[in-house]
Amino acid sequence: MAIESDVLVIGGGLAGLSAAIAAAREGAHVRLVSYKQSTLKQASGLVDVLGYVDGEPVADPFERMADLPDDHPYRIVGESGVREALALFDEVTDYRGGHTDRNALVPTHGGTVKPTARYPASAAPGLASDDRDALLVGFETLVDFDAPLAADHIEAAGVPFAADGATVRFPGDLRADAKVTRYAHLLDEDRAVETDGGRRLPAREALAERVRPHLDGHERVGFPAVLGDDDPAGVRAALSKGLGADVFEVPMGPPSLPGLRLADRLYEALDEAGASVETGVPVVDYEGEERVERVLVDRKGAEVPYAADQYVLATGGLVGKGVESDREGVREPVFDCRVPQPADRYDWFEDAVFGDHAFARFGVDPDGELRPTDERGDPEFENVRAAGSVLGGHDFPAEKSGAGVSLATGRAAGVLATEEL
Amino acid sequence: MSDEESNDTTEPLAQDGADDPDVETDGGAVDPGDGVGGDDAGFAPEEPTAGEDFEPVQVFPDDETMDLRPGADDCYKCSTCDVNCPVAEVDDDFPGPKFQGPEQWRLKQSDEEYTVDESITSCSNCMRCDDACPSGVPLSQMHNEARGEYVDEEMSLLSAKYWRNRILANYRISASIASLAPGLANAAMNFGPARWVVEKTLGVTSEREFPAFAEQTFREWWTARGGAAASRENAREARERRGEPIDADKRVAYFHGCYANYNTPEVAKALVRVYEHFGYELVVPEQRCSGTPMFANGMLSDARRDAEVNVSSLADLVDRGYDAVCSCTSCSMAIRQEYPELFSFEGTGEVAGSTFEALEYLRIHEDLRGDLADASVEGFDDLAYHAPCHARNQGLSRQAVELFRELDGVTVEDVGDSCSGISGTYGWKEEKYGVSMEIGEEMFEHMESAAGETGLTECPTCSMQMEHGTGYEIRHPLEVVEEALVGDRAGA
């Protein structure tokens, strides 16, 4: 016997979640298993679809999809596949950006301006296309965000407004290397903290008081994305009121509160769709020939069989460890699917730092139904589809297409799997 | 990683080597000599090219200690573990798992004067950092090692704290004495003035009530019921009723742990009845404490002593085709993960690979989901389920909620992913009680906002904390399954 389901999704990132939600909403009994916590918690929380093609920024991702190479995942699922995945995403989250096909320009903590298709409500007042002057506020103890430097970078990027930066001490005397969630929870709970002069004020008000002297007529104020975990809207509303200015969050590096919030929301949606979830256990092997009959999950030493009719492989790319490499070669470790790669290891990369590196595109090579293929172009298995960064053919850091590819191929894989049941 | 941020992450990574062919082509391991650049003519990693002057340095002179360097090197400082640490969440002075694990391990190797920092005693061994780490760093193993070293080298054997921890960690011994006269023990252990003295002298908080000892231990019940022979008989009858082969190979060894034996035999009895219902013959082998409270207190030699007994007794059965099942998720966690990480008794790996949580095992081998979907229960309120950290780490955090989803007569609500805060003996320490309750606050609030007034969890100490924080009665999922599937046949 084995633990059974109709569709087994392997991987708990954006692609796996998209596949599992789509399949569960089509009525399949879906189980999602992931080795570690969702990598979404380390992502910015922004949802890019296509930010750059050939190094040039893209205004409308849908317009440029036809310019992508034939083996690009977007060419496989088609423009309609991307649109349907975004529609599903919009339905289950409260993200903004769905009113237009055009990319929004969101300032990042490094001071760059990033073209992105969907952004959290908390980032909305910060868009670079807005011409209101912005004050960026950093915290002395949060060294990943240097607000004056980020403001200079943003101005240098040619935005239609003035940006200034200020660094303040976060009220409440958190330790120098406090976790980002400490800031967020202090603001969520709005606990009384000591402020200058020994007074005690609720944390939100204390923070507003520290920022007010720097406000200087700016109509909007950007903070690093630590403004609440459970109640981000409440925190922002209180700060906006206290400052008399619109408050927004600037997405940060890992661990990321917007990423954490998005992961929480999508897992809730998965639960609402009736799917089962197991995390903390890796899939290490499979049994079967033309079809995968079952996979083996390593539960701390015991190998537990999981059987399903259809499988979705959404284990991530080189960073997520869904694609592994050593000096000898590149491989996909769960089903041992073929990963096309230059025979000579020196052709995996280019000399230039931002060259067109082959390694950036490493991944399995899918057929028209997202099934990984062998050397002859035949599906490796009848019932395995791949989604997200484990797919080759795209260079998500250069294209800014990671989230879009994950959502679109995830949803398509989930729907295709369900159609086979 | 599904998202982007390439301008912030790939640049510095690529810069490490892409401009410098020496580094990029050989990973910095050896000098490639004349063969730099695009052709690999001079590149032979298997041949040392350092020349005759090269004097190898033995990095770890004492190769008796565990070499955790690969794990330490895998840490890329993303701090995800720190964000998941329930202690760091409420205690701003606790430096978090990243420091306790890879950082402290490195400091120990590089600085001869370095002694393990006392803050290691604030780690509660919830092991959430293991599950959080995207890079596979064996954080809890590092913490266990550091705690053991701290206790061995820095804690005075004459200190009250050492003996307090030792007594708490060796709960089985106190429990075995107390259960000789359970009524007396129950009265004495919660006698106010005595508790005050215990708090003042030993540092065991007087805020908590000691769990009641059962009038009859599980093992006493098991023996009186006829032991393995009676179980074989019951299982055969069940197989006949179920239309399964009478000689089917369905044999499991039950590792009940201390708490189900001395304090909640109803949980252990539920396991026996449920397993026999599915036609399994049970044996209840000789066993000691799984070691969880000892790991958490750095008492590794106590843990080793008990683990050796457990491994040897289970290994014999595993050899004969038995699997082991546990009703306590910390027991199964210890046998599956901590034993292979810390010990090398003969059979440790085989036992770990054959040990399962009780419902998990039935999900694998029986149609438990289908059977529950066709059943119903009475007498259970709506249940507020808390997933213990050690269940979470075995991938079992959703199991009870999803299994009981289709069971008529009960609604199970997951009260969220916070830690209960008690972490075994941690919340019993006078100086940790406050932190423990602060961690648990989120769970208490979720329980109180849930519909029911009965709690559900697999972990004995989580259930103590749930009860302590809310006053709710707490049940074990096995009791629900027993009620659903065994019903009137429960018998003796």
Side-chain angles (χ1 to χ4, degrees), chain B residues 55-370:
Chain B
E55 284 182 42
V57 175
Q58 189 166 7
V59 184
F60 304 108
D62 173 14
D63 56 13
E64 291 294 299
T65 59
M66 206 170 295
D67 183 2
L68 294 169
R69 180 168 180 171
D73 286 353
D74 281 346
C75 171
Y76 56 78
K77 312 286 177 249
C78 69
S79 301
T80 299
C81 56
D82 287 347
V83 165
N84 278 270
C85 173
V87 178
E89 172 66 41
V90 301
D91 178 2
D92 205 32
D93 292 328
F94 181 61
K98 185 177 65 179
F99 170 78
Q100 303 300 349
E103 299 295 19
Q104 179 135 262
W105 191 83
R106 249 187 229 110
L107 288 167
K108 285 196 303 179
Q109 310 308 319
S110 57
D111 180 357
E112 281 181 22
E113 300 291 302
Y114 186 82
T115 50
V116 174
D117 192 73
E118 193 193 353
S119 58
I120 190 69
T121 60
S122 289
C123 162
S124 72
N125 196 38
C126 73
M127 305 168 88
R128 278 182 178 240
C129 42
D130 280 359
D131 181 34
C133 178
S135 196
V137 177
L139 288 144
S140 68
Q141 184 182 14
M142 293 173 151
H143 300 157
N144 275 330
E145 288 271 307
R147 242 188 329 259
E149 189 173 322
Y150 177 81
V151 170
D152 280 353
E153 293 178 13
E154 281 158 78
M155 244 182 148
S156 161
L157 300 190
L158 300 173
S159 67
K161 203 177 257 188
Y162 173 82
W163 283 102
R164 186 266 321 263
N165 290 357
R166 195 125 192 233
I167 291 166
L168 286 173
N170 285 277
Y171 174 75
R172 188 188 67 92
I173 293 170
S174 326
S176 66
I177 296 165
S179 70
L180 295 175
L184 183 63
N186 291 338
M189 293 188 55
N190 287 308
F191 176 56
R195 293 299 309 280
W196 184 84
V197 172
V198 169
E199 174 167 302
K200 291 301 163 210
T201 54
L202 275 178
V204 175
T205 180
S206 60
E207 299 284 341
R208 292 186 188 276
E209 283 203 13
F210 278 102
F213 290 99
E215 285 299 322
Q216 185 190 34
T217 67
F218 165 68
R219 292 186 79 97
E220 286 164 1
W221 174 84
W222 172 255
T223 308
R225 186 176 178 260
S231 184
R232 191 180 315 123
E233 196 56 38
N234 292 344
R236 276 168 190 260
E237 278 172 28
R239 292 203 292 263
E240 207 162 17
R241 188 184 68 245
R242 294 167 60 84
E244 293 176 15
I246 196 81
D247 56 349
D249 184 22
K250 295 178 89 166
R251 292 178 299 176
V252 295
Y254 177 28
F255 189 88
H256 48 69
C258 310
Y259 202 77
N261 187 39
Y262 296 113
N263 302 95
T264 55
E266 64 275 14
V267 170
K269 292 177 198 172
L271 181 141
V272 169
R273 290 172 185 141
V274 167
Y275 267 73
E276 287 177 356
H277 164 81
F278 282 106
Y280 289 90
E281 302 169 14
L282 288 117
V283 292
V284 181
E286 184 197 354
Q287 55 191 274
R288 302 247 175 101
C289 171
S290 70
T292 298
M294 293 142 177
F295 302 137
N297 284 288
M299 308 284 174
L300 291 186
S301 47
D302 288 348
R304 180 180 301 275
R305 178 198 67 211
D306 282 8
E308 188 165 15
V309 173
N310 296 334
V311 169
S312 121
S313 113
L314 292 174
D316 280 349
L317 289 161
V318 167
D319 266 353
R320 286 158 51 200
Y322 284 79
D323 289 316
V325 295
C326 303
S327 49
C328 163
T329 42
S330 292
C331 292
S332 54
M333 188 73 201
I335 298 172
R336 296 172 118 176
Q337 177 170 327
E338 284 159 321
Y339 284 15
E341 281 180 352
L342 297 171
F343 309 128
S344 50
F345 312 118
E346 197 180 335
T348 304
E350 289 76 7
V351 169
S354 305
T355 299
F356 300 83
E357 189 277 334
L359 293 190
E360 174 193 22
Y361 190 77
L362 293 176
R363 288 169 66 212
I364 298 166
H365 297 282
E366 306 294 332
D367 182 16
L368 186 59
R369 192 172 125 232

Side-chain angles (χ1 to χ4, degrees), chain A residues 1 36-37 44 46 48 114 175 182 185 271 276-279 299-300 327 354 396-397 400 402, chain B residues 2-6 11 43 78 84 89 92 130 133 337 360 363-364 393-395 398 402 405:
Chain A
M1 291 285 283
K36 294 288 184 178
Q37 285 186 359
S44 67
L46 300 178
D48 307 339
K114 181 170 172 171
R175 60 185 290 140
R182 291 281 284 166
H185 292 171
D271 200 24
S276 301
V277 178
E278 295 178 19
T279 65
R299 286 185 185 273
K300 312 287 176 194
R327 305 188 70 84
F354 292 115
F396 75 83
K400 305 269 181 256
Chain B
S2 61
D3 218 325
E4 44 292 307
E5 298 297 331
S6 77
E11 278 178 49
F43 179 61
C78 69
N84 278 270
E89 172 66 41
D92 205 32
D130 280 359
C133 178
Q337 177 170 327
E360 174 193 22
R363 288 169 66 212
I364 298 166
N393 287 341
Q394 294 172 68
R398 296 282 302 171
E402 287 166 3
R405 219 176 218 165

Side-chain angles (χ1 to χ4, degrees), chain B residues 28-48:
Chain B
V30 286
D31 178 358
D34 58 355
V36 291
D39 92 65
D40 58 352
F43 179 61
E46 67 274 20
E47 283 179 31

